[in-house]
Amino acid sequence: AEKNGIAVYPNPATGTAFVKFENLDATEVNIQILDVTGRLVYNQLFQLASGVNTLPLNIDGISSGLYKLNVINAKTFKSIFLI
């Protein structure tokens, strides 16, 4: 799935998913996954380089379903839905 400059693959995923996006500056980014009730089920801080970044997300233990993935840094907030 790709939206708002964010790509998540594979989608649906089990075990490990990857989120890929471009970042203009080297910075920290917080990746959050929320379930349909808004409950936080994944939260991790990553240090990014400028340019295209691909981050592995260990999603073992997260049940299958519809989720919202947020990419948050000091300047931007982007979201994408994933299954």
Side-chain angles (χ1 to χ4, degrees):
E2 184 169 352
K3 183 180 177 188
N4 295 330
I6 304 169
V8 179
Y9 61 91
N11 190 12
T14 56
T16 302
F18 297 90
V19 59
K20 181 179 177 180
F21 57 95
E22 186 169 2
N23 203 51
L24 298 178
D25 303 313
T27 186
E28 287 185 338
V29 67
N30 190 26
I31 304 292
Q32 298 178 335
I33 299 176
L34 294 90
D35 67 14
V36 293
T37 67
R39 183 176 62 95
L40 186 66
V41 296
Y42 181 94
N43 187 37
Q44 188 167 351
L45 191 64
F46 292 91
Q47 182 64 43
L48 302 182
S50 61
V52 177
N53 290 267
T54 302
L55 307 174
L57 309 180
N58 180 358
I59 57 170
D60 272 340
I62 297 177
S63 302
S64 61
L66 181 64
Y67 294 90
K68 182 179 180 183
L69 183 138
N70 296 327
V71 177
I72 306 164
N73 70 21
K75 296 180 182 177
T76 60
F77 178 95
K78 296 182 179 182
S79 294
I80 187 172
F81 285 96
L82 57 133
I83 299 171

